Amino acid sequence: MNLNITGHHVEVTDALRDYVTDKMARIEGHHDKIISVNVTLKVEKLDQKAEATLQLAGNTIHADSSKPDMYAAIDDMIDVLDRQVRHHKRRITDHRG
């Protein structure tokens, strides 16, 4: 899995990078065919925003979250991605259609 973390109006520190990497390990455990992940961390006025785009084999999944705290935004974004990845995997393994 190729993980790319960028910041827009925020410096991506080692602590933020490690936090995102640790949280992405949970998603990687649910689906083994993740090609790349692009994570963008933004600051917009009073909100901290986290966005992620996953490239899977045959599909793209996008999630974002906006919270007053960057770590809370990352947690919420990871929860949404996790739910979407599990749903995608369930759809491709379900042979009924």
Side-chain angles (χ1 to χ4, degrees):
M1 175 176 77
N2 184 14
L3 179 62
N4 182 19
I5 303 171
T6 58
H8 190 257
H9 297 296
V10 66
E11 181 182 346
V12 180
T13 61
D14 289 338
L16 278 174
R17 187 174 304 280
D18 292 342
Y19 191 75
V20 171
T21 304
D22 290 343
K23 294 294 183 172
M24 281 296 181
R26 182 175 92 184
I27 293 174
E28 192 176 15
H30 289 290
H31 201 294
D32 56 347
K33 298 199 191 296
I34 298 174
I35 299 167
S36 68
V37 180
N38 293 322
V39 177
T40 304
L41 306 176
K42 298 180 182 181
V43 174
E44 295 177 350
K45 294 193 180 187
L46 299 176
D47 283 337
Q48 313 287 323
K49 190 170 185 179
E51 298 178 346
T53 304
L54 270 72
Q55 293 291 329
L56 300 172
N59 204 359
T60 302
I61 296 176
H62 179 79
D64 62 350
S65 176
S66 182
K67 299 281 184 181
D69 180 40
M70 183 61 79
Y71 290 99
I74 292 169
D75 285 341
D76 193 37
M77 176 199 63
I78 293 294
D79 289 342
V80 171
L81 278 177
D82 189 36
R83 191 170 39 246
Q84 289 179 351
V85 166
R86 285 185 298 160
H87 178 73
H88 173 72
K89 187 170 183 181
R90 195 170 38 243
R91 283 188 60 211
I92 63 173
T93 58
D94 185 15
H95 298 290
R96 289 181 281 153

